[in-house]
Protein backbone atom coordinates (compact mmCIF):
# COMPACT_ATOMS: atom_id res chain seq x y z
CA UNK A 1 0.00 0.00 0.00
CA UNK A 2 1.43 3.35 -1.05
CA UNK A 3 -0.41 5.51 1.54
CA UNK A 4 -0.60 4.41 5.18
CA UNK A 5 -2.54 6.04 8.00
CA UNK A 6 -0.07 6.03 10.89
CA UNK A 7 -2.29 7.75 13.50
CA UNK A 8 -6.02 8.52 13.68
CA UNK A 9 -8.48 9.84 16.30
CA UNK A 10 -10.92 7.75 18.28
CA UNK A 11 -14.64 7.85 17.54
CA UNK A 12 -17.24 8.99 18.34
CA UNK A 13 -15.58 12.36 18.75
CA UNK A 14 -16.46 16.04 19.03
CA UNK A 15 -15.88 18.67 16.37
CA UNK A 16 -14.59 21.42 18.67
CA UNK A 17 -11.21 19.84 19.26
CA UNK A 18 -8.36 18.73 16.96
CA UNK A 19 -9.33 15.68 14.88
CA UNK A 20 -5.88 14.67 13.68
CA UNK A 21 -4.71 12.14 11.11
CA UNK A 22 -1.09 11.31 10.29
CA UNK A 23 -0.28 9.66 6.95
CA UNK A 24 2.86 8.47 5.24
CA UNK A 25 3.64 7.09 1.78
CA UNK A 26 6.30 5.12 0.01
CA UNK A 27 5.97 7.59 -2.86
CA UNK A 28 6.55 10.80 -0.89
CA UNK A 29 9.91 11.41 -2.59
CA UNK A 30 8.35 11.87 -6.02
CA UNK A 31 8.31 15.33 -7.68
CA UNK A 32 5.50 17.70 -6.69
CA UNK A 33 4.24 15.16 -4.16
CA UNK A 34 1.19 15.99 -2.03
CA UNK A 35 -1.02 13.97 0.27
CA UNK A 36 -4.72 14.28 -0.66
CA UNK A 37 -7.66 13.97 1.73
CA UNK A 38 -11.33 13.80 0.78
CA UNK A 39 -14.23 14.27 3.21
CA UNK A 40 -17.32 12.45 1.96
CA UNK A 41 -20.81 11.82 3.24
CA UNK A 42 -23.21 9.46 1.51
CA UNK A 43 -20.91 9.31 -1.51
CA UNK A 44 -20.84 13.10 -1.95
CA UNK A 45 -17.49 14.83 -1.63
CA UNK A 46 -17.75 17.74 0.77
CA UNK A 47 -14.13 18.91 0.82
CA UNK A 48 -10.67 18.08 -0.55
CA UNK A 49 -7.42 19.00 1.19
CA UNK A 50 -3.89 18.75 -0.15
CA UNK A 51 -0.70 18.94 1.85
CA UNK A 52 3.01 18.66 1.14
CA UNK A 53 4.98 16.22 3.33
CA UNK A 54 6.58 17.77 6.40
CA UNK A 55 10.35 17.39 7.10
CA UNK A 56 9.63 13.88 8.40
CA UNK A 57 7.85 12.91 5.16
CA UNK A 58 4.52 12.82 7.04
CA UNK A 59 1.23 14.56 6.31
CA UNK A 60 -0.81 15.75 9.29
CA UNK A 61 -4.44 16.73 8.69
CA UNK A 62 -6.97 18.31 11.06
CA UNK A 63 -10.53 17.85 9.78
CA UNK A 64 -12.38 19.18 12.83
CA UNK A 65 -13.49 22.52 11.37
CA UNK A 66 -14.65 20.94 8.13
CA UNK A 67 -16.83 18.43 9.97
CA UNK A 68 -18.15 21.13 12.33
CA UNK A 69 -19.60 23.00 9.36
CA UNK A 70 -22.00 20.12 8.71
CA UNK A 71 -23.18 19.56 12.29
CA UNK A 72 -26.37 21.24 13.47
CA UNK A 73 -28.60 20.86 16.54
CA UNK A 74 -31.77 18.79 16.59
CA UNK A 75 -34.57 20.89 18.07
CA UNK A 76 -36.17 17.86 19.66
CA UNK A 77 -37.29 19.39 22.97
CA UNK A 78 -40.82 18.02 22.47
CA UNK A 79 -39.94 14.45 21.56
CA UNK A 80 -42.35 11.92 23.07
CA UNK A 81 -40.13 8.87 22.63
CA UNK A 82 -36.43 8.00 22.68
CA UNK A 83 -35.14 9.93 19.67
CA UNK A 84 -31.96 9.24 17.74
CA UNK A 85 -30.13 12.35 16.52
CA UNK A 86 -30.43 13.42 12.90
CA UNK A 87 -28.37 16.59 12.53
CA UNK A 88 -26.44 16.68 15.81
CA UNK A 89 -24.56 13.38 15.29
CA UNK A 90 -23.36 12.51 11.80
CA UNK A 91 -21.00 10.09 10.06
CA UNK A 92 -18.38 10.96 7.45
CA UNK A 93 -15.81 9.07 5.37
CA UNK A 94 -12.24 10.38 5.55
CA UNK A 95 -10.34 9.11 2.51
CA UNK A 96 -6.63 9.46 1.70
CA UNK A 97 -4.73 9.42 -1.56
CA UNK A 98 -1.76 11.13 -3.14
CA UNK A 99 -0.76 13.29 -6.08
CA UNK A 100 2.59 13.65 -7.83
CA UNK A 101 4.26 14.11 -11.20
CA UNK A 102 7.16 12.64 -13.12
CA UNK A 103 9.27 15.82 -12.87
CA UNK A 104 9.19 19.23 -11.24
CA UNK A 105 7.60 20.70 -14.37
CA UNK A 106 5.25 17.90 -15.42
CA UNK A 107 1.52 17.70 -14.82
CA UNK A 108 0.46 15.74 -11.74
CA UNK A 109 -1.64 12.62 -11.46
CA UNK A 110 -4.07 11.77 -8.70
CA UNK A 111 -3.67 8.32 -7.14
CA UNK A 112 -6.09 6.47 -4.87
CA UNK A 113 -3.44 5.66 -2.27
CA UNK A 114 -3.55 1.94 -3.03
CA UNK A 115 -1.29 2.13 -6.08
CA UNK A 116 -3.93 2.91 -8.69
CA UNK A 117 -4.98 6.09 -10.46
CA UNK A 118 -8.13 7.69 -9.11
CA UNK A 119 -9.76 9.49 -6.20
CA UNK A 120 -8.52 8.91 -2.63
CA UNK A 121 -9.63 5.49 -1.38
CA UNK A 122 -7.63 4.69 1.76
CA UNK A 123 -10.28 4.71 4.49
CA UNK A 124 -9.17 4.38 8.14
CA UNK A 125 -12.79 4.04 9.31
CA UNK A 126 -16.03 5.98 9.66
CA UNK A 127 -15.83 9.31 11.48
CA UNK A 128 -18.83 9.73 13.81
CA UNK A 129 -18.88 13.23 15.31
CA UNK A 130 -21.10 15.66 17.19
CA UNK A 131 -20.86 19.33 18.13
CA UNK A 132 -19.26 19.05 21.56
CA UNK A 133 -16.03 20.46 22.95
CA UNK A 134 -12.86 19.07 24.50
CA UNK A 135 -10.84 21.22 26.89
CA UNK A 136 -7.30 21.40 25.42
CA UNK A 137 -5.97 21.78 28.96
CA UNK A 138 -7.30 18.42 30.13
CA UNK A 139 -3.78 16.98 30.25
CA UNK A 140 -4.90 13.82 28.49
CA UNK A 141 -5.96 13.92 24.87
CA UNK A 142 -7.66 15.82 22.05
CA UNK A 143 -10.17 12.96 21.87
CA UNK A 144 -13.54 12.95 23.63
CA UNK A 145 -13.68 10.53 26.54
CA UNK A 146 -16.98 8.67 26.28
CA UNK A 147 -19.59 8.97 29.03
CA UNK A 148 -23.22 7.95 29.28
CA UNK A 149 -24.90 11.21 30.37
CA UNK A 150 -24.22 13.97 27.86
CA UNK A 151 -24.55 16.76 30.40
CA UNK A 152 -22.66 18.29 33.31
CA UNK A 153 -25.87 19.06 35.16
CA UNK A 154 -25.96 17.98 38.83
CA UNK A 155 -27.64 14.60 39.31
CA UNK A 156 -29.68 15.88 42.27
CA UNK A 157 -31.62 19.03 43.08
CA UNK A 158 -33.17 19.47 39.61
CA UNK A 159 -36.67 20.96 39.41
CA UNK A 160 -39.36 20.78 36.76
CA UNK A 161 -42.96 22.00 36.40
CA UNK A 162 -45.92 20.14 34.95
CA UNK A 163 -46.07 22.38 31.86
CA UNK A 164 -42.39 22.09 30.92
CA UNK A 165 -40.61 19.99 28.31
CA UNK A 166 -37.39 18.23 29.29
CA UNK A 167 -35.05 15.72 27.67
CA UNK A 168 -31.80 14.07 28.68
CA UNK A 169 -29.24 13.01 26.06
CA UNK A 170 -27.37 9.74 26.49
CA UNK A 171 -24.60 7.81 24.77
CA UNK A 172 -24.85 4.05 25.28
CA UNK A 173 -21.89 1.81 24.46
CA UNK A 174 -24.01 -1.32 24.90
CA UNK A 175 -27.69 -2.25 24.94
CA UNK A 176 -29.45 -0.93 28.03
CA UNK A 177 -32.82 -0.24 29.58
CA UNK A 178 -33.53 3.39 30.44
CA UNK A 179 -36.34 4.08 32.90
CA UNK A 180 -38.05 7.39 33.63
CA UNK A 181 -39.97 6.77 36.86
CA UNK A 182 -42.74 9.21 37.84
CA UNK A 183 -43.73 9.20 41.52
CA UNK A 184 -46.65 8.87 41.76
CA UNK A 185 -47.34 7.51 38.30
CA UNK A 186 -46.30 4.84 35.82
CA UNK A 187 -42.71 4.66 34.50
CA UNK A 188 -41.61 5.05 30.91
CA UNK A 189 -39.27 2.21 29.94
CA UNK A 190 -37.02 2.26 26.87
CA UNK A 191 -35.01 -0.77 25.69
CA UNK A 192 -32.21 0.74 23.61
CA UNK A 193 -29.35 -0.51 21.48
CA UNK A 194 -25.93 1.23 21.51
CA UNK A 195 -25.90 4.80 20.23
CA UNK A 196 -26.99 8.37 20.95
CA UNK A 197 -30.48 9.14 22.25
CA UNK A 198 -32.61 11.98 23.60
CA UNK A 199 -34.95 10.64 26.27
CA UNK A 200 -38.20 12.49 27.10
CA UNK A 201 -38.48 13.36 30.79
CA UNK A 202 -41.03 16.19 31.12
CA UNK A 203 -44.70 15.38 31.60
CA UNK A 204 -45.42 17.66 28.64
CA UNK A 205 -43.32 15.38 26.43
CA UNK A 206 -45.37 12.26 27.07
CA UNK A 207 -48.70 13.77 28.09
CA UNK A 208 -49.10 12.26 31.56
CA UNK A 209 -51.44 13.74 34.19
CA UNK A 210 -50.18 16.51 36.44
CA UNK A 211 -49.69 14.25 39.43
CA UNK A 212 -46.00 13.49 40.03
CA UNK A 213 -43.86 15.09 42.72
CA UNK A 214 -40.60 13.36 41.78
CA UNK A 215 -38.95 11.94 38.64
CA UNK A 216 -36.02 9.51 38.66
CA UNK A 217 -34.08 8.64 35.49
CA UNK A 218 -32.04 5.45 35.51
CA UNK A 219 -29.87 3.32 33.27
CA UNK A 220 -30.35 -0.27 34.33
CA UNK A 221 -30.34 -0.29 38.12
CA UNK A 222 -28.38 2.98 38.43
CA UNK A 223 -30.21 6.27 39.01
CA UNK A 224 -28.52 9.06 37.04
CA UNK A 225 -30.88 12.02 37.60
CA UNK A 226 -33.44 13.03 40.22
CA UNK A 227 -36.06 15.75 39.71
CA UNK A 228 -38.53 17.30 42.12
CA UNK A 229 -41.64 19.29 41.31
CA UNK A 230 -40.84 23.01 41.10
CA UNK A 231 -42.21 25.18 43.88
CA UNK A 232 -45.10 27.33 42.73
CA UNK A 233 -44.97 31.07 43.50
CA UNK A 234 -46.36 34.39 42.30
CA UNK A 235 -43.57 35.04 39.78
CA UNK A 236 -43.72 33.65 36.26
CA UNK A 237 -41.27 30.83 35.67
CA UNK A 238 -38.25 31.53 33.43
CA UNK A 239 -37.21 28.47 31.47
CA UNK A 240 -34.05 28.23 29.35
CA UNK A 241 -33.10 25.48 26.89
CA UNK A 242 -29.47 25.66 25.79
CA UNK A 243 -26.84 23.64 23.97
CA UNK A 244 -24.31 22.41 26.50
CA UNK A 245 -20.61 21.57 26.07
CA UNK A 246 -21.51 18.18 24.64
CA UNK A 247 -23.60 19.70 21.87
CA UNK A 248 -26.96 18.58 23.29
CA UNK A 249 -29.83 20.27 25.13
CA UNK A 250 -29.86 21.16 28.80
CA UNK A 251 -32.66 23.00 30.63
CA UNK A 252 -32.83 25.38 33.55
CA UNK A 253 -35.87 27.07 35.07
CA UNK A 254 -36.73 29.11 38.15
CA UNK A 255 -39.38 31.48 39.52
CA UNK A 256 -37.94 34.96 39.99
CA UNK A 257 -38.88 38.38 38.56
CA UNK A 258 -37.64 39.44 35.14
CA UNK A 259 -36.49 43.02 34.54
CA UNK A 260 -37.22 44.48 31.10
CA UNK A 261 -35.77 47.63 29.59
CA UNK A 262 -36.39 48.99 26.11
CA UNK A 263 -34.06 51.20 24.10
CA UNK A 264 -35.17 52.92 20.91
CA UNK A 265 -33.40 54.14 17.81
CA UNK A 266 -35.10 56.84 15.76
CA UNK A 267 -34.42 58.86 12.65
CA UNK A 268 -36.01 62.29 12.40
CA UNK A 269 -36.95 64.71 9.70
CA UNK A 270 -37.80 68.41 10.03
CA UNK A 271 -40.45 69.80 7.69
CA UNK A 272 -41.54 73.44 7.32
CA UNK A 273 -44.70 74.45 9.10
CA UNK A 274 -45.80 76.24 5.97
CA UNK A 275 -47.35 73.89 3.38
CA UNK A 276 -45.65 75.01 0.19
CA UNK A 277 -47.42 72.30 -1.82
CA UNK A 278 -50.95 73.44 -1.00
CA UNK A 279 -53.31 75.69 -2.89
CA UNK A 280 -53.28 78.18 -0.05
CA UNK A 281 -50.39 78.42 2.42
CA UNK A 282 -52.61 79.09 5.39
CA UNK A 283 -51.89 78.67 9.05
CA UNK A 284 -52.36 75.10 10.38
CA UNK A 285 -51.44 74.51 14.00
CA UNK A 286 -51.71 70.73 13.48
CA UNK A 287 -49.00 70.51 10.83
CA UNK A 288 -45.87 68.83 12.13
CA UNK A 289 -42.44 70.36 11.83
CA UNK A 290 -40.31 67.55 13.33
CA UNK A 291 -41.34 63.97 12.62
CA UNK A 292 -39.86 60.52 13.30
CA UNK A 293 -39.39 57.51 11.04
CA UNK A 294 -37.62 54.13 11.08
CA UNK A 295 -38.22 53.63 14.80
CA UNK A 296 -36.52 50.47 16.14
CA UNK A 297 -37.08 48.87 19.55
CA UNK A 298 -34.51 46.78 21.41
CA UNK A 299 -35.86 44.92 24.43
CA UNK A 300 -33.28 43.78 27.00
CA UNK A 301 -34.24 41.32 29.72
CA UNK A 302 -32.39 40.60 32.94
CA UNK A 303 -33.04 37.91 35.53
CA UNK A 304 -31.11 36.81 38.61
CA UNK A 305 -30.89 33.12 39.43
CA UNK A 306 -31.58 31.62 42.84
CA UNK A 307 -28.56 30.97 45.04
CA UNK A 308 -26.32 28.34 43.43
CA UNK A 309 -23.81 25.91 44.84
CA UNK A 310 -20.51 25.34 43.06
CA UNK A 311 -21.64 22.34 41.01
CA UNK A 312 -24.79 24.14 39.80
CA UNK A 313 -22.93 27.35 38.96
CA UNK A 314 -20.19 25.60 36.96
CA UNK A 315 -22.81 23.72 34.96
CA UNK A 316 -24.96 26.81 34.40
CA UNK A 317 -21.89 28.71 33.14
CA UNK A 318 -22.38 26.71 29.94
CA UNK A 319 -25.51 28.79 29.31
CA UNK A 320 -23.38 31.92 28.83
CA UNK A 321 -21.12 30.15 26.32
CA UNK A 322 -23.86 28.26 24.50
CA UNK A 323 -24.13 28.69 20.70
CA UNK A 324 -27.91 28.24 20.82
CA UNK A 325 -30.34 29.28 23.57
CA UNK A 326 -34.15 29.22 23.61
CA UNK A 327 -36.77 30.38 26.09
CA UNK A 328 -39.81 28.21 26.70
CA UNK A 329 -42.93 30.36 26.80
CA UNK A 330 -46.08 28.31 27.10
CA UNK A 331 -45.84 25.59 24.48
CA UNK A 332 -43.33 27.49 22.33
CA UNK A 333 -39.54 27.74 22.30
CA UNK A 334 -38.37 31.21 21.25
CA UNK A 335 -34.75 31.87 20.21
CA UNK A 336 -32.83 34.33 22.39
CA UNK A 337 -29.31 35.75 22.55
CA UNK A 338 -27.38 35.90 25.81
CA UNK A 339 -25.85 39.39 25.98
CA UNK A 340 -23.58 39.10 29.04
CA UNK A 341 -20.14 40.33 28.02
CA UNK A 342 -18.50 38.46 30.90
CA UNK A 343 -19.38 36.41 33.95
CA UNK A 344 -17.70 35.43 37.21
CA UNK A 345 -17.14 31.78 38.16
CA UNK A 346 -17.98 30.36 41.54
CA UNK A 347 -14.49 29.27 42.62
CA UNK A 348 -14.46 29.27 46.43
CA UNK A 349 -16.78 29.41 49.42
CA UNK A 350 -14.66 31.82 51.46
CA UNK A 351 -15.25 34.91 49.36
CA UNK A 352 -18.41 33.68 47.61
CA UNK A 353 -20.57 32.39 50.44
CA UNK A 354 -23.67 33.15 48.38
CA UNK A 355 -23.54 33.03 44.62
CA UNK A 356 -25.98 34.01 41.87
CA UNK A 357 -25.78 34.75 38.15
CA UNK A 358 -27.42 37.70 36.47
CA UNK A 359 -28.51 36.57 33.01
CA UNK A 360 -29.05 39.25 30.37
CA UNK A 361 -30.74 38.31 27.14
CA UNK A 362 -32.62 39.59 24.11
CA UNK A 363 -35.04 37.88 21.80
CA UNK A 364 -33.31 36.90 18.59
CA UNK A 365 -36.06 38.65 16.65
CA UNK A 366 -36.71 42.25 17.68
CA UNK A 367 -40.13 43.80 17.66
CA UNK A 368 -40.96 45.43 14.34
CA UNK A 369 -40.70 49.21 14.52
CA UNK A 370 -42.96 51.80 12.90
Amino acid sequence: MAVSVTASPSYPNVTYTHILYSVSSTNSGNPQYQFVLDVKQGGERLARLKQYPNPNAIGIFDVSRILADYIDYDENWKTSTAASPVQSVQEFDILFGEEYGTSISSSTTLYDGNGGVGNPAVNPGTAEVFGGTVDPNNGSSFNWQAQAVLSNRPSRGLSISYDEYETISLYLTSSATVTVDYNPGSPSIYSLSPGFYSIPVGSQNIGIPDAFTEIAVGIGATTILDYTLATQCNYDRVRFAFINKFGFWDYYGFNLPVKRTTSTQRNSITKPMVNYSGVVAGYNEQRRGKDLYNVQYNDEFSVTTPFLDQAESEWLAELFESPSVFLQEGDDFLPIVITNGSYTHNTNKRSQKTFQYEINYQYANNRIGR
Side-chain angles (χ1 to χ4, degrees):
M1 182 180 291
V3 173
S4 299
V5 179
T6 58
S8 59
S10 62
Y11 290 105
N13 213 335
V14 299
T15 55
Y16 294 98
T17 184
H18 295 289
I19 301 179
L20 300 171
Y21 289 89
S22 299
V23 291
S24 63
S25 174
T26 56
N27 297 316
S28 60
N30 283 295
Q32 305 184 63
Y33 184 90
Q34 292 187 89
F35 295 103
V36 182
L37 177 151
D38 280 355
V39 178
K40 287 188 173 182
Q41 187 178 51
E44 179 186 359
R45 189 175 74 198
L46 305 177
R48 171 167 286 178
L49 303 179
K50 296 181 180 182
Q51 188 176 124
Y52 292 106
N54 66 20
N56 293 305
I58 299 293
I60 298 178
F61 292 87
D62 185 349
V63 297
S64 58
R65 292 306 181 189
I66 295 174
L67 303 186
D69 287 343
Y70 295 93
I71 299 296
D72 207 343
Y73 306 113
D74 295 305
E75 296 176 354
N76 53 4
W77 319 286
K78 298 182 181 182
T79 183
S80 59
T81 187
S84 297
V86 177
Q87 301 180 79
S88 55
V89 181
Q90 298 189 45
E91 294 183 348
F92 301 87
D93 291 317
I94 310 298
L95 306 171
F96 293 94
E98 55 192 349
E99 181 182 85
Y100 54 88
T102 56
S103 70
I104 60 173
S105 59
S106 69
S107 60
T108 59
T109 301
L110 179 64
Y111 296 90
D112 63 7
N114 293 315
V117 175
N119 289 318
V122 177
N123 187 349
T126 301
E128 184 181 31
V129 295
F130 54 99
T133 65
V134 165
D135 184 356
N137 301 308
N138 61 34
S140 174
S141 171
F142 289 127
N143 293 320
W144 176 63
Q145 306 303 307
Q147 63 183 71
V149 181
L150 301 176
S151 171
N152 290 320
R153 71 177 81 179
S155 59
R156 303 290 185 269
L158 303 169
S159 67
I160 188 170
S161 289
Y162 292 132
D163 59 351
E164 292 175 345
Y165 294 95
E166 175 101 6
T167 60
I168 179 63
S169 295
L170 304 176
Y171 172 62
L172 303 178
T173 57
S174 60
S175 297
T177 298
V178 176
T179 303
V180 184
D181 194 7
Y182 300 90
N183 181 25
S186 301
S188 297
I189 301 174
Y190 307 95
S191 297
L192 304 174
S193 55
F196 291 86
Y197 297 95
S198 290
I199 308 297
V201 174
S203 59
Q204 279 288 86
N205 292 79
I206 61 175
I208 63 173
D210 297 345
F212 71 86
T213 57
E214 295 177 329
I215 303 175
V217 182
I219 301 177
T222 304
T223 299
I224 57 173
L225 293 172
D226 274 331
Y227 296 82
T228 58
L229 182 64
T231 303
Q232 303 300 310
C233 75
N234 294 328
Y235 295 119
D236 290 336
R237 190 163 168 84
V238 183
R239 176 75 165 172
F240 297 99
F242 61 97
I243 291 293
N244 61 25
K245 288 187 176 181
F246 296 90
F248 299 94
W249 294 105
D250 267 344
Y251 307 82
Y252 183 66
F254 53 91
N255 296 78
L256 282 175
V258 177
K259 178 183 177 182
R260 176 179 177 178
T261 59
T262 299
S263 60
T264 59
Q265 295 178 328
R266 304 180 179 94
N267 293 329
S268 63
I269 183 174
T270 302
K271 300 177 289 186
M273 188 175 181
V274 176
N275 183 6
Y276 290 98
S277 299
V279 177
V280 177
Y283 176 79
N284 182 357
E285 71 279 7
Q286 297 177 352
R287 181 172 171 82
R288 285 184 179 271
K290 190 173 184 178
D291 206 350
L292 301 176
Y293 67 97
N294 192 25
V295 181
Q296 302 293 325
Y297 307 104
N298 293 304
D299 296 317
E300 179 88 22
F301 298 84
S302 179
V303 62
T304 301
T305 68
F307 293 115
L308 304 170
D309 62 28
Q310 193 162 0
E312 288 177 309
S313 63
E314 281 305 301
W315 163 62
L316 194 55
E318 298 179 22
L319 170 67
F320 296 100
E321 301 178 3
S322 176
S324 183
V325 184
F326 285 76
L327 199 67
Q328 183 183 348
E329 293 189 355
D331 203 51
D332 298 320
F333 284 83
L334 303 179
I336 64 171
V337 176
I338 302 296
T339 58
N340 296 68
S342 63
Y343 65 94
T344 301
H345 290 264
N346 185 358
T347 56
N348 66 88
K349 294 182 178 180
R350 181 176 180 181
S351 63
Q352 297 170 306
K353 291 182 175 60
T354 58
F355 187 88
Q356 296 171 283
Y357 284 125
E358 182 175 296
I359 303 171
N360 301 318
Y361 63 92
Q362 295 177 341
Y363 287 102
N365 300 296
N366 286 336
R367 288 189 289 148
I368 298 175
R370 294 183 285 180

